[in-house]
Amino acid sequence: MTDTADEAVERLRTALRSAGIVLPSLRVDPVTEVYGGRNTLVDLGSCNLDVAARLAAALTEREGE
């Protein structure tokens, strides 16, 4: 699957939202976006402790599937 950077960020944002997680700073890294392609990074940004705990729980739950 090959997404553009924006598509990848939107898919991640949607998946996180469906798990009840919002990362307000989630974005395409503007510095690496200049180079494009697979070298572009996704900046997950910062989150508070509650969001970090929910993210860890969602990932742990996923491991059990």
Side-chain angles (χ1 to χ4, degrees):
M1 170 184 310
T2 304
D3 290 332
T4 67
D6 289 327
E7 289 169 339
V9 167
E10 280 310 308
R11 285 183 346 108
L12 179 56
R13 181 176 283 119
T14 299
L16 288 168
R17 189 173 292 129
S18 73
I21 299 166
V22 175
L23 297 177
S25 303
L26 180 64
R27 67 183 182 145
V28 175
D29 176 64
V31 174
T32 59
E33 185 177 27
V34 171
Y35 301 105
R38 301 199 51 82
N39 293 323
T40 302
L41 300 176
V42 173
D43 186 352
L44 300 176
S46 300
C47 66
N48 64 32
L49 295 176
D50 181 53
V51 172
R54 284 187 283 143
L55 182 56
L59 292 171
T60 302
E61 179 181 304
R62 184 88 173 143
E63 286 178 358
E65 290 182 3

